[in-house]
């Protein structure tokens, strides 16, 4: 039996973050930067929602027989997008949602402002107890519609996973994975601007209240 990565301990207790107001906000001091499109990113009232290591749960294939092929194609496309991000970040795949910071689900996102989409990333901040310690963590639910061509699923996953890993904003250039609007050709790799923006983000202060010793017995 495969053991879970040591970087992904089980959450023994979870409670909502006590902060109030909008979750994603403009930085207090927004300055132009040569690091890709970092000046277009949003942060949270508790700081930049990035991590040094990420634990990701991907909805598994559950169908059997001929019907399983569609789930398998979805799963393969999502895994391909994850491998691209793994070239830039320490990302561990887990089989239990309570070990994850990112949950990737195989379903079409609900309408938003009467508009349909093939993917969406939903951010929460939570106070989580792992290994007897409390910390403030992002939890991102990524919804990826299976009703697309396999390359489109991969491109959608690459984009939405970028949000999940802290890039809460969009590029204004079509060749970037985080482009505000998808182009005619699916983007399946991270551009130099995507990579520069991610590098800039990783150098920013993370969430406050992190790694606080537990005050509970």
């Amino acid at each position: 039996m495969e053991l879970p990565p040591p970087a992904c301990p089980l959450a023994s207790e979870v409670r909502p973050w006590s902060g109030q107001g909008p979750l994603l906000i403009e930085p207090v001091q927004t300055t132009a930067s040569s690091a890709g499109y970092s000046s277009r990113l949003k942060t949270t009232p508790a700081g930049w929602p990035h991590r040094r290591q990420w634990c990701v749960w991907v909805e598994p294939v559950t169908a059997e027989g001929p019907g399983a092929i569609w789930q398998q194609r979805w799963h393969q496309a999502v895994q391909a997008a994850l491998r691209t991000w793994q070239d830039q970040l320490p990302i561990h795949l887990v089989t239990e949602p309570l070990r994850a910071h990112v949950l990737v689900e195989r379903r079409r996102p609900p309408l938003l402002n009467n508009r349909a989409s093939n993917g969406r990333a939903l951010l929460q901040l939570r106070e989580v107890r792992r290994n007897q310690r409390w910390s403030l963590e992002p939890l991102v639910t990524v919804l990826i519609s299976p009703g697309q061509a396999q390359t489109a699923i991969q491109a959608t996953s690459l984009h939405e996973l970028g949000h999940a890993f802290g890039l809460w904003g969009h590029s204004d250039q079509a060749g970037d994975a985080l482009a505000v609007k998808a182009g005619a050709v699916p983007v399946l790799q991270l551009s130099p601007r995507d990579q520069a923006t991610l590098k800039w983000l990783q150098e920013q202060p993370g969430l406050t209240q992190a790694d606080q010793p537990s005050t509970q017995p």
Side-chain angles (χ1 to χ4, degrees):
M1 181 177 180
E2 185 178 355
L3 295 176
C8 304
L10 194 69
S12 59
E13 192 173 349
V14 178
R15 61 194 183 199
W17 178 54
S18 57
Q20 298 180 353
L23 189 54
L24 288 172
I25 60 174
E26 299 289 347
V28 175
Q29 294 181 335
T30 302
T31 57
S33 171
S34 60
Y37 43 88
S38 57
S39 62
R40 301 171 65 92
L41 299 183
K42 291 185 177 181
T43 183
T44 78
W48 293 96
H50 68 74
R51 293 183 57 84
R52 299 304 174 193
Q53 300 183 85
W54 291 90
C55 303
V56 179
W57 175 86
V58 178
E59 185 170 343
V61 175
T62 56
E64 298 180 358
I69 188 171
W70 303 108
Q71 291 191 12
Q72 291 168 353
R73 288 176 176 176
W74 179 92
H75 201 270
Q76 290 167 0
V78 171
Q79 294 284 357
L82 272 170
R83 286 193 294 272
T84 301
W85 283 109
Q86 282 177 315
D87 289 339
Q88 307 296 322
L89 291 168
I91 297 171
H92 308 279
L93 296 178
V94 299
T95 58
E96 298 171 89
L98 283 175
R99 297 186 186 276
H101 310 109
V102 178
L103 306 172
V104 186
E105 299 184 2
R106 186 177 54 249
R107 59 188 176 100
R108 178 181 290 277
L111 294 177
L112 181 64
N113 299 323
N114 291 321
R115 297 182 61 182
S117 63
N118 287 317
R120 188 171 302 149
L122 307 171
L123 172 66
Q124 302 176 55
L125 295 184
R126 311 180 306 164
E127 295 174 5
V128 182
R129 190 181 191 186
R130 302 181 192 271
N131 291 338
Q132 307 303 315
R133 293 182 66 87
W134 286 95
S135 63
L136 185 61
E137 298 181 357
L139 173 69
V140 186
T141 302
V142 177
L143 309 179
I144 303 295
S145 173
Q148 311 173 71
Q150 191 164 2
T151 54
I153 293 174
Q154 184 176 340
T156 301
S157 300
L158 191 70
H159 179 105
E160 299 302 336
L161 286 168
H163 292 320
F165 298 138
L167 299 177
W168 292 101
H170 288 106
S171 164
D172 57 354
Q173 296 190 17
D176 297 334
L178 272 289
V180 67
K181 184 179 295 186
V185 179
V187 176
L188 304 181
Q189 297 295 329
L190 300 179
S191 71
R193 280 165 47 86
D194 292 318
Q195 296 178 46
T197 306
L198 181 66
K199 183 176 184 298
W200 177 89
L201 174 67
Q202 292 296 101
E203 294 171 350
Q204 306 312 304
L207 297 174
T208 58
Q209 305 176 24
D211 298 327
Q212 297 295 320
S214 173
T215 59
Q216 300 187 12

